[in-house]
Structure formats: structure tokens, C-alpha cells
């Protein structure tokens, strides 16, 4: 990452609440072709979330603690704040001297942009302003939120405008929090009615919806130069698993998340970036 930072643009996409089992099944069934085209080997990596709900997980990720490989470690991280005694900071880790990755990248010359999704990014109250407040530029509007059936395509359009407006020489760190999988998501299944409610099937339909538009986001991210991308979930969510519903609780469906990182090459098919090492705690 010491070669990547300062040379390439960076993209972090969090697919908010996306469960690993749903993401894995849709990839295997060929139902998310735009995502599987960029996943190393066409498969998601199973990882453990750093938090059980959006705010906690993103605070951890913005400090450099991306989801941890679901296998015995330690796992060297891609990014880490300088911290004495860290067992997951390795030679290939990009180390920053600020409290969080966003400000660290800003010091390194990146323009930092947040395209928010769920309520923790809506800037409508003090709590919803903390995470977007880390960025030099942040965007949120009701059409990006969980209640909008067209949330992701509106977020992508915003990202496209951001990228198009930047000077060619300006390095970019673009963060997009995708709200579509979060409850309510019943409206993403054709023919569904509000009284039908949300389920793992409507959660899956929401991921298919995201896949139909994510190619535009990838094209924007690599339109100026090579881009290093991380696409992952911040946590999963339960739909009656063991009697549990929702998240902010300790259940396998919440703690196990899909993860991938890869390069987006300008005007070419993306190339997998497995050799960059693992990103764990």
C-alpha cells in the first residue's frame, strides 16, 4: 500500500448490512455479474465485521480496521494509524500519523469525498454529522437514504458528478455508503407489497439492484487513473435467524461479512489485487 497511496485513486464502498451468505449465494448463482467480474476469482472473501452496526463499524474502518479475515491471524492490515505495539502493522501497511484514515489521506494530498446513505451520514443531527464530517466534501439527500427505491443510482450519479468536477491531477479518496440493502428493502422485489415486509429474499433483490448500477461507479472511479477499490459490508443483519431480527447484536449473520479488494484499471477489465496482503485487526 505504500506504493499505491500517492499514485492511485482510492475507492471504499460499504454495502451496508449485506450478509455474507446472501452475497456468496448470489455470486455463485450468477445473479450479480458486475460485482463478480471484479471479485478476485469471482468470489467474496469471508471476513468478520469490526462492529455490529453502522456507526461502530465505520469508526473502526476509518481508523484502519477493515473487516478481518475469518481465519486465525494475525492479519497485516492495508492501512493503520501509527500505534506502538500494533501486531497487524506490517512492512506493506500504509501508516498514517492522524487519528483516522480519511485525514491521513488528506495529508497525503487526497481530496476526500463521502457519498452517504444510511442515517448516520444524513447530517440532519449531530450524530449523523460525525462520519461525513471527517471528509473535505460530503453529500447526502433523502433520495440516497434507506426509504428510496432508487437510492443507489442516485448515489452513483452524485459520484459521477464529483469525479467529473475534479482536476485531472488531483488524487481522490471516494467513499460510498450504499443504503439499498438496509431495511426497508421489500420494494426491490418485483410485485412485493409493504405488508409483505423485508426478508433475506428482498435483501438479495436489493443486492441485485445495486449490481445493475455499480458498473457506473467503477467506471467513474477508474476514469482518471488506476483506482484501488475495497468493497465490503460493514455488518450483516438478521431476518429471524435464531429468533433475532436486525443488527447491533452478536449473531453469525451480523458478524460475518463479504469483502474484496482489487484494482480498477483505466479502460480495461479490473485486475485482482490479492498480492496486497490481508486487512485484519
Amino acid at each position: 500500500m505504500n506504493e499505491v497511496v500517492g499514485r492511485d485513486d482510492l475507492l471504499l464502498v460499504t454495502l451496508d448490512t449485506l450478509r455474507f451468505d446472501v452475497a456468496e449465494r448470489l455470486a455463485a448463482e450468477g445473479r450479480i455479474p458486475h460485482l463478480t467480474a471484479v471479485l478476485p476469482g469471482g468470489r467474496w472473501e469471508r471476513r468478520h465485521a469490526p462492529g455490529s452496526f453502522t456507526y461502530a463499524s465505520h469508526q473502526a474502518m476509518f481508523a484502519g480496521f477493515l473487516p478481518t479475515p475469518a481465519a486465525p491471524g494475525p492479519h497485516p492490515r492495508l492501512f493503520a494509524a501509527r500505534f506502538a505495539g500494533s501486531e497487524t502493522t506490517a512492512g506493506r501497511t500504509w501508516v498514517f500519523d492522524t487519528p483516522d484514515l480519511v485525514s491521513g489521506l488528506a495529508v497525503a494530498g487526497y481530496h476526500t469525498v463521502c457519498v452517504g446513505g444510511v442515517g448516520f451520514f444524513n447530517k440532519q443531527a449531530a450524530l449523523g454529522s460525525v462520519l461525513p464530517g471527517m471528509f473535505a466534501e460530503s453529500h447526502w439527500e433523502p433520495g440516497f437514504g434507506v426509504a428510496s427505491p432508487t437510492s443507489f443510482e442516485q448515489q452513483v450519479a452524485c459520484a459521477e458528478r464529483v469525479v467529473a468536477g475534479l482536476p485531472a491531477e488531483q488524487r481522490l479518496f471516494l467513499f460510498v455508503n450504499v443504503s439499498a440493502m438496509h431495511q426497508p428493502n421489500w420494494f426491490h422485489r418485483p410485485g412485493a407489497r409493504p405488508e409483505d415486509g423485508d426478508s433475506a429474499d428482498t435483501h438479495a433483490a436489493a443486492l441485485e439492484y445495486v449490481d445493475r448500477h455499480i458498473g457506473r461507479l467503477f467506471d467513474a472511479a477508474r476514469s482518471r487513473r488506476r483506482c484501488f477499490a475495497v468493497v465490503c459490508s460493514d455488518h450483516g443483519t438478521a431476518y429471524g435467524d435464531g429468533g433475532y431480527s436486525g443488527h447491533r447484536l452478536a449473531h453469525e449473520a451480523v458478524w460475518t461479512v463479504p469483502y474484496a479488494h482489487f484494482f480498477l484499471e483505466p479502460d480495461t477489465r479490473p485486475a485482482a489485487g490479492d498480492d496486497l496482503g490481508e486487512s485484519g485487526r
Side-chain angles (χ1 to χ4, degrees):
M1 292 309 298
N2 292 295
E3 297 177 5
V4 172
V5 174
R7 179 188 64 192
D8 300 337
D9 282 348
L10 302 174
L11 171 68
L12 171 60
V13 179
T14 53
L15 302 170
D16 208 289
T17 79
L18 179 59
R19 293 168 56 125
F20 176 81
D21 57 354
V22 170
E24 181 184 47
R25 175 167 57 86
L26 266 59
E29 294 174 354
R31 293 167 58 184
I32 48 172
H34 297 97
L35 281 163
T36 54
V38 297
L39 301 179
R43 302 182 63 180
W44 294 102
E45 182 182 353
R46 180 192 296 266
R47 293 204 174 196
H48 291 148
S52 64
F53 70 108
T54 299
Y55 186 80
S57 190
H58 281 81
Q59 283 281 18
M61 287 193 281
F62 290 157
F65 299 98
L66 295 172
T68 309
H75 302 285
R77 287 184 284 147
L78 299 181
F79 312 100
R82 194 175 304 281
F83 187 78
S86 171
E87 296 182 352
T88 55
T89 301
R92 294 189 295 177
T93 303
W94 186 71
V95 179
F96 49 93
D97 291 301
T98 63
D100 58 84
L101 174 63
V102 184
S103 58
L105 289 171
V107 170
Y110 281 78
H111 182 55
T112 62
V113 179
C114 167
V115 179
V118 304
F120 288 113
F121 296 92
N122 66 17
K123 301 188 286 185
Q124 293 181 341
L127 183 60
S129 301
V130 173
L131 296 173
M134 295 180 177
F135 293 80
E137 179 180 346
S138 62
H139 301 269
W140 189 89
E141 56 189 63
F144 297 176
V146 299
S148 171
T150 59
S151 60
F152 187 55
E153 54 208 278
Q154 293 190 58
Q155 289 181 297
V156 170
C158 176
E160 289 172 328
R161 292 191 294 270
V162 166
V163 172
L166 285 177
E169 68 277 7
Q170 176 64 62
R171 295 296 188 272
L172 171 66
F173 171 47
L174 175 63
F175 164 72
V176 182
N177 172 253
V178 180
S179 66
M181 272 72 60
H182 196 284
Q183 299 95 313
N185 53 45
W186 60 268
F187 42 72
H188 287 296
R189 187 172 65 184
R193 301 168 298 175
E195 56 267 30
D196 296 329
D198 300 329
S199 66
D201 287 338
T202 61
H203 187 77
L207 180 57
E208 290 180 291
Y209 159 70
V210 168
D211 186 75
R212 290 195 292 271
H213 298 279
I214 203 163
R216 287 172 48 205
L217 178 61
F218 291 156
D219 287 343
R222 64 183 171 193
S223 63
R224 304 159 69 248
R225 61 181 58 82
R226 188 169 76 164
C227 178
F228 177 71
V230 175
V231 180
C232 64
S233 176
D234 55 340
H235 58 81
T237 198
Y239 290 101
D241 306 74
Y244 289 100
S245 295
H247 37 272
R248 200 166 56 84
L249 50 91
H251 190 279
E252 178 72 11
V254 175
W255 286 112
T256 308
V257 296
Y259 173 94
H261 65 236
F262 46 86
F263 286 110
L264 293 165
E265 301 285 352
D267 303 319
T268 65
R269 295 276 301 207
D274 308 70
D275 61 332
L276 289 169
E278 299 297 352
S279 173
R281 274 180 271 196

